[in-house]
């Protein structure tokens, strides 16, 4: 099949080589395609890499976030505080459980949830069950502030780390900080399994609940052929669970992607550095790195156009980049602008003025290990030419 290439530098592209391909072929030849030993192996590698106690593979981060919130008993009437500057998955899972998100505006530099706003919001909201911070673009939130507030209020912290493998906060890797953390292995993410996700936690009880709920609420303990006196075909359903398990085909990709997280991160960081160094003196702001001593996963490189100094709009800039053969994107359209969230909670654009302003200026540039040095050079040159040409 011949797929027509529209842009020659796409916005994102997975980096798959023969190790992943051979492992997938091995899985296919084995005849065991769904959750099995390879998924178990992937989970144990994640545990080893992060230094956490439990890792539970699922078929998306969305599924993982749903399970994480379910495991801490988020239910109808509860509130979960989160960022509006995210993908809808972060908030939709709260609604799956009948609870409501309470959006909290972001920091104008990092685009992560603003701890001062979070504090204010916590003080005026009843029945808060959890804080759901999103480590935007791969840079960690201010976790000390968030954990302190959670501790004071006796509520849980579930981290949306869809962008953030391998991110650190004060030298601790994300996945070892909050009560539960969820990673995404969607195809554009820092490592991929095509579709997939992982919930990690140190808590035995949450891990056990998630393990049951990710596969139809089936209690797996009865399958233990060494300790169980039940026949092998026997199982017990203990809750109305979900179908969220990861396949061994996906895990086969993940096992080898995981080995490359540092290599991939270094390449992404190198690209980010090239961009930031070469965009000085242009009418834009490069991404702010709050703690240079920490690891930024650089899932996204989001620049902010100084629209006041430009004679073209953000959308026109994106079109011109596209015409030059370069894919870009916008992260994110804040949730409060989307019809569902806007109408359900009667939200106005200015309710979250920082998120609204950041969105209007945002352009995400391609940043992935498969980009060649020439690709990176072409993106830089195109941005320089366009923004110089259209500077006021
Ligand atoms: C911040 C954030 N959270 C959650 C998700 C959902 O991830 P998945 O596609 O693995 O369900 C995404 C995906 O883009 C995301 O960007």
């Amino acid at each position: 099949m011949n797929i027509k290439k529209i842009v020659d530098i796409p916005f994102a592209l997975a980096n798959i080589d023969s190790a992943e391909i051979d492992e997938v072929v091995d899985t296919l030849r084995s005849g065991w395609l769904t959750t099995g030993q390879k998924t178990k192996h992937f989970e144990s590698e994640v545990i080893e890499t992060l230094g956490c106690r439990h890792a539970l593979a699922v078929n998306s981060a969305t599924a993982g976030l749903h399970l994480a919130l379910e495991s801490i008993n988020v239910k109808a009437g509860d509130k979960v505080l989160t960022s509006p500057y995210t993908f809808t998955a972060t908030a939709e899972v709260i609604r799956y459980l009948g609870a409501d998100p309470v959006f909290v505006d972001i920091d104008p530099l990092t685009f992560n949830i603003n701890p001062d706003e979070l504090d204010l919001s916590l003080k005026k909201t009843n029945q808060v069950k959890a804080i759901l911070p999103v480590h935007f673009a791969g840079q960690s939130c201010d976790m000390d502030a968030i954990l302190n507030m959670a501790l004071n209020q006796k509520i849980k912290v579930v981290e949306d780390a869809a962008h953030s493998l391998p991110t650190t906060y004060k030298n601790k890797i994300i996945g070892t900080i909050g009560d539960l953390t969820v990673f995404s292995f969607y195809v554009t993410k820092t490592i991929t399994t095509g579709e997939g996700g992982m919930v990690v936690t140190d808590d035995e009880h949450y891990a056990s609940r998630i393990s049951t709920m990710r596969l139809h609420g089936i209690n797996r303990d009865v399958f233990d052929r060494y300790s169980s006196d039940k026949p092998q075909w026997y199982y017990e359903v203990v809750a109305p669970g979900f179908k969220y398990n990861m396949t061994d085909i996906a895990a086969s990709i993940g096992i080898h992607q995981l080995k490359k997280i540092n290599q991939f991160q270094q390449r992404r960081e190198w690209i980010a550095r090239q961009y930031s160094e070469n965009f000085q003196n242009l009418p834009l702001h490069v991404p702010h790195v709050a703690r240079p001593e920490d690891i930024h996963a650089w899932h996204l490189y989001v620049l902010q156009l100084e629209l006041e100094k430009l004679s073209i709009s953000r959308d026109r800039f994106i079109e011109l980049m596209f015409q030059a053969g370069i894919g870009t994107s916008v992260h994110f359209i804040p949730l409060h602008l989307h019809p569902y969230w806007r109408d359900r909670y009667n939200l106005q654009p200015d309710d979250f003025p920082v998120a609204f302003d950041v969105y209007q200026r945002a352009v995400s540039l391609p940043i992935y290990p498969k980009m060649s040095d020439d690709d990176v050079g072409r993106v830089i040159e195109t941005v320089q030419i366009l923004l110089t040409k259209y500077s006021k």
Side-chain angles (χ1 to χ4, degrees):
M1 192 170 53
N2 202 355
I3 299 173
K4 192 166 176 282
K5 262 172 112 180
I6 311 171
V7 287
D8 41 355
I9 305 178
F11 173 64
L13 209 53
N15 196 337
I16 301 292
D17 62 33
S18 55
E20 286 89 339
I21 293 166
D22 292 348
E23 194 75 48
V24 169
V25 170
D26 179 69
T27 301
L28 295 175
R29 288 197 201 286
S30 79
W32 190 276
L33 308 190
T34 187
T35 315
Q37 286 311 313
K38 300 243 171 139
T39 304
K40 243 194 170 107
H41 180 55
F42 184 32
E43 289 174 336
S44 62
E45 293 290 312
V46 168
I47 289 170
E48 176 134 332
T49 304
L50 298 182
C52 57
R53 288 225 173 92
H54 305 279
L56 298 122
V58 286
N59 56 18
S60 70
T62 309
L65 287 164
H66 183 195
L67 291 167
L69 294 181
E70 201 275 343
S71 77
I72 59 165
N73 198 25
V74 169
K75 56 185 184 329
D78 287 340
K79 306 280 192 296
V80 177
L81 271 49
T82 193
S83 168
Y85 208 64
T86 185
F87 184 57
T88 194
T90 311
E92 80 193 22
V93 295
I94 302 167
R95 295 293 305 126
Y96 290 180
L97 294 159
D100 295 295
V102 174
F103 297 120
V104 176
D105 209 354
I106 53 169
D107 177 276
L109 292 176
T110 62
F111 315 158
N112 280 328
I113 198 161
N114 181 326
D116 297 330
E117 297 284 335
L118 185 60
D119 193 36
L120 289 175
S121 192
L122 269 172
K123 285 184 177 134
K124 59 179 192 215
T125 313
N126 291 325
Q127 224 180 313
V128 176
K129 206 43 149 320
I131 303 170
L132 178 33
V134 180
H135 304 295
F136 179 84
Q139 171 158 245
S140 69
C141 294
D142 181 349
M143 291 310 293
D144 281 348
I146 292 169
L147 289 177
N148 268 332
M149 284 181 238
L151 206 64
N152 284 337
Q153 302 278 331
K154 299 190 171 54
I155 57 176
K156 303 296 175 198
V157 176
V158 175
E159 294 169 61
D160 182 337
H163 301 179
S164 302
L165 188 65
T167 295
T168 62
Y169 173 76
K170 297 193 174 171
N171 280 327
K172 273 181 139 178
I173 194 155
I174 295 298
T176 59
I177 300 177
D179 295 288
L180 296 124
T181 302
V182 182
F183 298 103
S184 173
F185 307 133
Y186 179 65
V187 70
T188 60
K189 297 298 194 292
T190 55
I191 65 166
T192 188
T193 58
E195 299 278 359
M198 190 76 70
V199 189
V200 301
T201 181
D202 279 352
D203 187 287
E204 182 76 45
H205 169 75
Y206 301 151
S208 156
R209 177 71 182 174
I210 291 169
S211 167
T212 300
M213 293 305 281
R214 74 176 158 180
L215 197 64
H216 300 295
I218 290 172
N219 184 344
R220 305 296 302 176
D221 296 345
V222 297
F223 279 137
D224 186 340
R225 71 172 91 168
Y226 302 108
S227 64
S228 176
D229 54 1
K230 302 280 194 314
Q232 255 195 305
W233 52 263
Y234 185 78
Y235 61 89
E236 284 175 2
V237 173
V238 295
F242 310 101
K243 185 71 197 291
Y244 282 166
N245 55 308
M246 177 178 274
T247 68
D248 267 16
I249 301 171
S252 303
I253 306 172
I255 289 164
H256 294 280
Q257 289 273 295
L258 189 67
K259 294 187 208 291
K260 296 182 267 196
I261 52 170
N262 294 326
Q263 178 199 325
F264 285 175
Q265 187 278 335
Q266 280 155 21
R267 179 70 183 166
R268 287 173 178 273
E269 185 172 281
W270 181 83
I271 298 169
R273 205 175 323 120
Q274 302 311 304
Y275 286 164
S276 292
E277 283 173 10
N278 285 285
F279 293 160
Q280 283 169 24
N281 308 319
L282 291 176
L284 57 75
H285 295 295
V286 299
H288 175 75
V289 177
R291 287 173 305 278
E293 63 282 8
D294 270 326
I295 296 173
H296 188 319
W298 289 110
H299 163 53
L300 300 172
Y301 184 96
V302 180
L303 54 79
Q304 291 275 284
L305 295 180
E306 287 189 278
L307 295 169
E308 303 77 3
K309 299 183 182 170
L310 286 168
S311 59
I312 51 168
S313 67
R314 184 270 309 272
D315 297 2
R316 181 68 186 141
F317 173 73
I318 287 176
E319 268 171 30
L320 292 169
M321 290 291 285
F322 182 79
Q323 282 169 19
I326 298 167
T328 60
S329 190
V330 173
H331 294 88
F332 285 101
I333 304 167
L335 298 187
H336 69 296
L337 302 185
H338 288 287
Y340 172 73
W341 300 108
R342 180 194 66 204
D343 297 347
R344 177 165 175 93
Y345 297 106
N346 192 22
L347 300 171
Q348 309 298 321
D350 278 338
D351 286 348
F352 307 100
V354 180
F356 186 45
D357 184 64
V358 167
Y359 156 64
Q360 288 170 299
R361 300 164 182 281
V363 180
S364 303
L365 296 183
I367 181 165
Y368 45 94
K370 230 184 153 83
M371 286 178 83
S372 68
D373 291 4
D374 280 355
D375 291 341
V376 176
R378 250 194 61 205
V379 174
I380 291 169
E381 202 186 347
T382 310
V383 170
Q384 285 171 334
I385 290 171
L386 288 177
L387 293 187
T388 306
K389 181 170 175 196
Y390 294 104
S391 277
K392 274 190 198 160

